Amino acid sequence: MKYTVVVVDDHNLLSQAIGGLISDFEDFEVLYLCSNGKELLDKLKNPKNIPDIVLMDVNMPIMNGIETTTILREEYPQIKVLALSIEEDENIILKMLRAGAKGYLMKDTRKSELKNALSEVMEKGYYHTNTVAKVLVNSLKTEKTGVSALKEREIEFIKHACTEKTYKEIADEMCLSYKTIEGYRNALFEKLNLRNRTGLVIYAIKNKIYTP
Amino acid sequence: MKYTVVVVDDHNLLSQAIGGLISDFEDFEVLYLCSNGKELLDKLKNPKNIPDIVLMDVNMPIMNGIETTTILREEYPQIKVLALSIEEDENIILKMLRAGAKGYLMKDTRKSELKNALSEVMEKGYYHTNTVAKVLVNSLKTEKTGVSALKEREIEFIKHACTEKTYKEIADEMCLSYKTIEGYRNALFEKLNLRNRTGLVIYAIKNKIYTP
DNA sequence: GTGAACATAGGGTAAAACCCCCTGTTTATG
DNA sequence: CATAAACAGGGGGTTTTACCCTATGTTCAC
């Protein structure tokens, strides 16, 4: 008996193509393809349509991979979700895994790795690449040290950093020395894994600390 | 005699998968797969490796689709290039077509449309979807009215500036000298009235040039 | 009452960003 | 054909960032 797989991706060419690849695997067969989470949930209402694994894209219109995975875990906990995305964003990966994905594949994965991933998810219950492992370790660090929560002053600083002001000017406005401001910046770079101010600005906007 | 196709895409899963799809078509067969333009050019040095059609991704590391297509048109004008991308960016599509692509497919194309596209490119010499047609009409409009204040390369540069990359790294990626990049930056600061890179990032996001 | 955690701040250095100035080449257009 | 844009590159400078490592005083828990 082959394991059944459903591919959910808004890029039809990709889902059809991946479906084709999976058909080549001995132990797996494709049940059907979907273009978004909503379509999948509709399909699942028929018990005949319940697969062993869902290969899920993260970015989709109508209902994205994170929402869909969350719902799946509640309503069909037996279905294993394997995420598939171009996104290497740490937060996205974490969100997807927290939502209940058993693994996270990049779209530049090779065919053999896809087969591996499918097999391991069915056997061991999970599959993680090095990239994802790194992200996980990093997130554990921040969770243990409790660093993840940003302090009041840091948030205030970030908002200033999202303007054209120099650090010297920010220091003056916050009534702190330039060196203290550097301290805030360095701490943030460290715990948010950023290289420079541009990274901080993008982080702030993504996380709605600053709204342009 | 089947027409031969080469798939060039840095996402291995995608290229393998698309290769699989094409193998199902009566009139076409896959010659080989490549991960980037450089790899393709190397392969082509052997006359046995010259295909009828190249299915080319636009965004690739090392050598992207636009550069590669330009070179192909010069050195192997008999090879027909069909672009394949997620990018719906007007400028990218235009560039790719100017570079000599015979058609532009989105990655959400259906299998049947891919077959159509391949056949039409071989028979008529071109294939254009509605989306691309719209873009073309639109570009004619804006070219007439000259609405776009920002130049193509500037927009491309801005997108890079919204990442953690240094200007040196941006220069490398855009295949320009650091000094040229500085030129773009200075021009933008001048005409947009900005003080520094942070200002540029905020401007880009406000004006939807870059979406975090 | 001692150590951890935190906010503050300094000194020094190297790299990146910023700011002038300047020279070509290609491409479009009157 | 001339002229203007757009495009690509360079010299040489200052300012700002980024990254080291260290130090002091306060608060708070054990």
Side-chain angles (χ1 to χ4, degrees):
Chain A
M1 192 57 186
K2 289 185 178 192
Y3 292 124
T4 51
V5 183
V6 168
V7 183
V8 188
D9 196 316
D10 59 315
H11 300 301
N12 285 303
L13 203 56
L14 191 73
S15 55
Q16 284 183 61
I18 290 177
L21 285 186
I22 294 175
S23 309
D24 292 344
F25 301 156
E26 269 177 37
D27 303 332
F28 297 91
E29 64 177 331
V30 177
L31 215 52
Y32 52 89
L33 309 174
C34 294
S35 306
N36 60 65
K38 180 106 186 44
E39 214 179 299
L40 174 68
L41 293 179
D42 283 346
K43 277 273 196 182
L44 291 179
K45 284 175 189 157
N46 181 344
K48 286 196 176 172
N49 284 335
I50 294 185
D52 295 307
I53 299 189
V54 171
L55 206 56
M56 178 105 64
D57 186 26
V58 178
N59 304 305
M60 291 180 294
I62 302 172
M63 188 182 277
N64 70 35
I66 296 165
E67 295 174 66
T68 315
T69 306
T70 309
I71 295 173
L72 281 188
R73 192 177 46 176
E74 283 165 16
E75 301 191 8
Y76 308 90
Q78 75 276 28
I79 302 178
K80 295 177 199 312
V81 175
L82 193 51
L84 181 67
S85 177
I86 326 180
E87 282 285 349
E88 285 193 47
D89 186 296
E90 186 176 312
N91 289 321
I92 301 285
I93 297 180
L94 283 175
K95 271 188 204 166
M96 202 60 197
L97 294 179
R98 282 206 195 101
K102 305 295 181 192
Y104 194 103
L105 295 177
M106 307 297 165
K107 277 185 181 164
D108 62 352
T109 311
R110 299 186 168 278
K111 186 175 178 177
S112 57
E113 200 183 337
L114 173 63
K115 192 179 169 183
N116 255 338
L118 289 172
S119 305
E120 293 215 3
V121 165
M122 285 317 299
E123 284 162 23
K124 299 193 197 164
Y126 66 92
Y127 176 84
H128 292 307
T129 59
N130 284 341
T131 320
V132 173
K134 268 185 210 161
V135 168
L136 285 177
V137 169
N138 200 14
S139 93
L140 281 181
K141 258 195 231 161
T142 54
E143 264 170 39
K144 258 190 196 164
T145 51
V147 178
S148 73
L150 298 181
K151 290 148 206 165
E152 289 290 317
R153 286 298 256 184
E154 281 178 343
I155 303 241
E156 207 183 320
F157 161 70
I158 292 179
K159 287 180 184 166
H160 282 291
C162 290
T163 69
E164 292 188 320
K165 291 192 263 271
T166 67
Y167 290 133
K168 175 80 188 63
E169 289 165 349
I170 296 175
D172 288 346
E173 251 181 83
M174 289 178 72
C175 294
L176 293 170
S177 105
Y178 167 69
K179 278 298 174 178
T180 307
I181 289 299
E182 276 203 307
Y184 283 116
R185 181 203 57 197
N186 292 339
L188 286 167
F189 282 4
E190 169 73 20
K191 72 175 138 190
L192 300 178
N193 229 297
L194 303 171
R195 274 180 78 185
N196 50 39
R197 184 160 167 179
T198 302
L200 186 60
V201 173
I202 299 294
Y203 174 90
I205 292 169
K206 270 190 187 163
N207 291 277
K208 304 199 195 298
I209 293 169
Y210 177 79
T211 316
Chain B
M1 192 57 185
K2 288 185 177 191
Y3 291 124
T4 51
V5 183
V6 168
V7 182
V8 188
D9 197 315
D10 60 317
H11 299 300
N12 285 304
L13 203 56
L14 191 73
S15 56
Q16 283 184 62
I18 290 177
L21 286 186
I22 294 175
S23 309
D24 293 344
F25 301 157
E26 269 177 38
D27 303 332
F28 297 91
E29 65 177 331
V30 177
L31 215 53
Y32 51 90
L33 309 174
C34 294
S35 305
N36 60 64
K38 181 108 185 44
E39 215 179 299
L40 174 68
L41 293 179
D42 283 347
K43 278 275 195 180
L44 292 179
K45 283 174 189 158
N46 181 343
K48 285 195 177 173
N49 285 334
I50 295 186
D52 295 307
I53 299 190
V54 171
L55 207 56
M56 176 106 63
D57 187 26
V58 178
N59 304 306
M60 292 179 295
I62 302 171
M63 188 184 277
N64 69 35
I66 296 165
E67 294 173 66
T68 315
T69 306
T70 309
I71 295 173
L72 282 188
R73 193 178 43 174
E74 282 166 15
E75 301 190 8
Y76 309 89
Q78 75 276 27
I79 302 179
K80 295 178 200 309
V81 175
L82 193 51
L84 182 66
S85 177
I86 327 181
E87 283 284 351
E88 285 195 44
D89 186 298
E90 186 178 311
N91 290 319
I92 302 285
I93 296 180
L94 284 175
K95 271 191 205 164
M96 203 60 196
L97 294 178
R98 281 204 198 104
K102 304 295 184 193
Y104 194 102
L105 294 176
M106 306 298 165
K107 277 184 181 162
D108 62 352
T109 311
R110 301 186 167 277
K111 186 174 178 179
S112 57
E113 200 185 336
L114 174 62
K115 192 178 168 184
N116 253 338
L118 288 172
S119 304
E120 293 214 2
V121 166
M122 286 316 299
E123 285 163 23
K124 298 191 196 165
Y126 67 92
Y127 176 84
H128 292 306
T129 60
N130 285 340
T131 320
V132 173
K134 268 183 210 161
V135 167
L136 287 176
V137 170
N138 198 20
S139 93
L140 284 178
K141 263 193 229 163
T142 52
E143 259 169 44
K144 266 187 194 164
T145 52
V147 173
S148 88
L150 297 182
K151 291 149 207 165
E152 305 212 353
R153 284 300 253 182
E154 283 177 344
I155 302 231
E156 213 181 316
F157 160 71
I158 292 180
K159 287 180 184 165
H160 283 289
C162 290
T163 70
E164 292 189 322
K165 291 192 264 269
T166 66
Y167 289 133
K168 176 79 187 64
E169 288 166 349
I170 295 174
D172 287 347
E173 252 182 82
M174 290 179 68
C175 295
L176 293 171
S177 102
Y178 170 69
K179 278 296 177 180
T180 306
I181 289 299
E182 279 202 304
Y184 283 115
R185 181 203 56 196
N186 292 339
L188 285 166
F189 283 3
E190 170 71 21
K191 74 172 133 188
L192 301 177
N193 231 295
L194 304 170
R195 274 180 78 184
N196 51 40
R197 184 160 167 178
T198 302
L200 186 60
V201 172
I202 299 295
Y203 174 90
I205 292 169
K206 273 189 186 164
N207 292 276
K208 303 194 196 301
I209 293 169
Y210 177 80
T211 314

